[in-house]
């Protein structure tokens, strides 16, 4: 905040707090107070590009005496109150921020790095809104992305799918069927362990789900599919 912004903020604070408005009534005291605030908060913007931060809200919050904090009764708002609100806001913004792919040539690492840091700095100072990937991913992927996912066939990399297989046998069987072009074994009951259609094969005394269907079930599914195509 520069001097003008600090003056505007203190004017606002004066509307909430008679102690501040009385100080502002004296021109030389007002000038000193404005200068002190501007010097204490040079990196705190009065508003941010995304509209999520407004410094006057930070002042208002101090006077709302949240959580049983009654310090506003005894002390007028100080720059450090605004500073701690800003720090909280900035951390949240940086937490939401996902570094976008720099436009710089990746063969020029200095420029690449500088652009990344520049974007991050801009978010930290409130000059730019965080690139919020969660907002982008909520509400489903863009049509082009959805097409890419469909054409890829598998939503997760094969190595990860293999690691997950024991924990999601039903899905694993379907993935396996998709990858090999064979019919889904889970579409038929298992002749070996009597698992019902849609349920994973089970084994052992604990009837724990198997990562893969029993071979006889895979064959049964293939036979069933063959009969369907023949019919
Ligand atoms: Zn089975």
């Amino acid at each position: 905040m520069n001097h003008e912004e600090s003056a505007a903020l203190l004017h606002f604070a004066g509307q909430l707090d008679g102690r501040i408005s009385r100080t502002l009534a004296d021109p030389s005291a007002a000038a000193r107070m404005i200068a002190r605030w501007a010097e204490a908060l040079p990196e705190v913007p009065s508003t941010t590009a995304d509209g999520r931060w407004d410094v006057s809200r930070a002042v208002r919050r101090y006077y709302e005496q949240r959580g049983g904090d009654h310090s506003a009764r005894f002390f007028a708002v100080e720059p450090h109150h605004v500073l701690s609100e800003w720090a909280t806001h900035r951390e949240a913004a940086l937490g939401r921020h996902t570094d976008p792919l720099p436009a710089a040539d990746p063969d020029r690492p200095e420029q690449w790095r500088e652009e990344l840091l520049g974007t991050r700095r801009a978010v930290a100072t409130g000059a730019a809104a965080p690139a919020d990937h969660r907002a982008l991913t909520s509400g489903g992927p863009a049509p082009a992305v959805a097409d890419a996912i469909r054409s890829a066939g598998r939503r997760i990399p094969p190595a990860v799918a293999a690691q997950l297989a024991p924990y999601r046998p039903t899905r694993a069987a379907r993935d396996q069927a998709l990858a090999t072009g064979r019919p889904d074994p889970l579409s038929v009951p298992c002749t070996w362990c009597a698992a019902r259609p849609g349920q994973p094969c089970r084994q052992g005394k604990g009837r724990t789900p198997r990562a893969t269907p029993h071979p006889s079930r895979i064959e049964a599914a293939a036979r069933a599919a063959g009969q369907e195509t023949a019919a």
Side-chain angles (χ1 to χ4, degrees):
M1 292 197 299
N2 58 29
H3 275 68
E4 287 72 33
E5 290 164 332
S6 294
L9 182 63
L10 284 165
H11 175 72
F12 171 76
Q15 293 175 337
L16 300 176
D17 188 335
R19 292 164 295 193
I20 290 177
S21 64
R22 281 192 290 280
T23 304
L24 293 177
D26 173 2
S28 66
R32 277 198 303 276
M33 194 184 206
I34 291 165
R36 187 163 71 84
W37 276 66
E39 277 163 31
L41 304 169
E43 78 281 15
V44 176
S46 47
T47 55
T48 55
D50 62 1
R52 291 199 196 205
W53 165 261
D54 185 325
V55 73
S56 67
R57 281 206 294 267
V59 169
R60 178 178 287 282
R61 277 176 70 90
Y62 175 69
Y63 287 104
E64 282 173 354
Q65 308 193 9
R66 291 182 188 210
D69 174 8
H70 297 305
S71 44
R73 270 194 215 158
F74 309 108
F75 307 103
V77 66
E78 286 286 340
H80 69 84
H81 298 124
V82 171
L83 199 57
S84 85
E85 288 274 330
W86 168 244
T88 306
H89 172 88
R90 190 185 54 187
E91 269 168 38
L94 282 174
R96 285 195 308 276
H97 178 63
T98 310
D99 292 308
L101 200 63
D105 183 351
D107 288 335
R108 295 170 175 268
E110 277 305 308
Q111 287 178 13
W112 176 272
R113 185 173 166 278
E114 198 42 50
E115 192 178 333
L116 270 181
L117 289 178
T119 316
R120 206 141 247 279
R121 265 197 301 273
V123 172
T125 56
D132 193 341
H133 77 94
R134 264 164 285 218
L136 292 177
T137 50
S138 65
V145 177
D147 286 347
I149 290 172
R150 263 195 300 280
S151 67
R154 296 171 70 89
R155 284 160 191 260
I156 57 174
V160 179
Q163 283 174 13
L164 286 177
Y167 305 103
R168 27 175 251 164
T170 310
R171 180 59 187 273
R174 249 172 231 144
D175 283 352
Q176 178 70 18
L178 249 180
T180 55
R182 287 200 300 255
D184 178 6
L186 269 56
S187 62
V188 297
C190 181
T191 51
W192 186 261
C193 68
R196 286 194 298 255
Q199 298 295 314
C201 280
R202 294 181 179 268
Q203 66 184 3
K205 272 190 186 159
R207 301 277 292 158
T208 48
R210 282 169 54 94
T212 53
H214 285 114
S216 60
R217 191 178 193 181
I218 296 172
E219 284 164 24
R223 271 198 308 278
Q227 281 162 10
E228 267 171 36
T229 45

